[in-house]
Amino acid sequence: MNDKDYEARIRELETQVEVLQEANVKLINRNMQLGQMVDAYYDVRRRIQIMKELVIRHKELIKHADLRDDDELMAVIETKLESELNYTDPNFGLKELADLVGTTQTRIVELFRRSTLHKSLDDYLDYLRILRSMYHLQTQPSWSIAACAQEAGFTVIRSFNRKFQDAIGMTPHEFRLLCENNKID
């Protein structure tokens, strides 16, 4: 190999070294970017885990609604039931209500024990169902009394008739006749 070939080979190798150094710098930069992305990923995962824990703690606090006073809890119950009409489901009861308002069943039982108006959840649900049946008796004249009772959440017509009479002072049939006679055209 002569000096010219030798110098050409050295320039060629130096060019390759420069190319490799540039590629190495690019790889180092890329690795740094990937490292930052991995750090960001783990930071996001950590934040998500913290948020999940906070949500769980918040749900637990809500579940134990002892922080609410009775009037506030009753207002939440009334609002939820009236907006969603869950009480018209004959199977709707204590567990479903506790889940709906985010409290414990024990808290609801205690609430109604202290209540002066309704002594139990069943009394309260019957009250709401009677009001709903009155609405149906008034607005759905083509429906039978049994259909109005069922739409309101009652499953046994005899029980409905007795509870209606006790609450309103007249039978559902008498109530419907009264509504028809006092209808404004």
Side-chain angles (χ1 to χ4, degrees), residues 61-119:
L61 285 174
I62 288 175
K63 207 176 219 182
H64 303 290
D66 297 331
L67 302 174
R68 296 181 186 154
D69 65 7
D70 286 354
D71 292 335
E72 183 182 348
L73 182 56
M74 194 62 193
V76 169
I77 289 171
E78 288 173 354
T79 302
K80 293 265 188 180
L81 288 178
E82 200 52 46
S83 67
E84 298 183 22
L85 297 177
N86 306 54
Y87 62 87
T88 60
D89 177 358
N91 298 319
F92 185 82
L94 182 60
K95 180 189 180 316
E96 292 77 15
L97 180 60
D99 291 343
L100 179 68
V101 297
T103 190
T104 63
Q105 294 179 30
T106 304
R107 177 70 171 100
I108 292 175
V109 169
E110 290 171 1
L111 171 74
F112 282 100
R113 274 195 194 133
R114 288 190 293 270
S115 172
T116 56
L117 189 57
H118 306 289
K119 289 297 177 194

Side-chain angles (χ1 to χ4, degrees), residues 19-32:
V19 169
L20 288 172
Q21 284 177 335
E22 287 176 14
N24 191 32
V25 168
K26 286 180 183 177
L27 285 174
I28 289 171
N29 286 336
R30 180 69 179 145
N31 281 340
M32 288 175 56

Side-chain angles (χ1 to χ4, degrees), residues 87-92 126 129 145-161 163:
Y87 62 87
T88 60
D89 177 358
N91 298 319
F92 185 82
D126 284 344
R129 289 172 179 153
I145 290 174
C148 292
Q150 284 178 331
E151 279 297 311
F154 288 99
T155 54
V156 179
I157 191 71
R158 281 188 194 155
S159 173
F160 165 69
N161 285 330
K163 289 176 182 180

Side-chain angles (χ1 to χ4, degrees), residues 16-53:
Q16 287 180 354
V17 166
E18 286 176 15
V19 169
L20 288 172
Q21 284 177 335
E22 287 176 14
N24 191 32
V25 168
K26 286 180 183 177
L27 285 174
I28 289 171
N29 286 336
R30 180 69 179 145
N31 281 340
M32 288 175 56
Q33 288 174 344
L34 289 174
Q36 289 171 347
M37 290 171 68
V38 167
D39 288 346
Y41 168 78
Y42 282 113
D43 185 53
V44 167
R45 284 192 54 162
R46 183 182 55 80
R47 289 179 187 208
I48 289 171
Q49 186 60 37
I50 290 169
M51 291 303 292
K52 283 180 181 178
E53 290 171 9

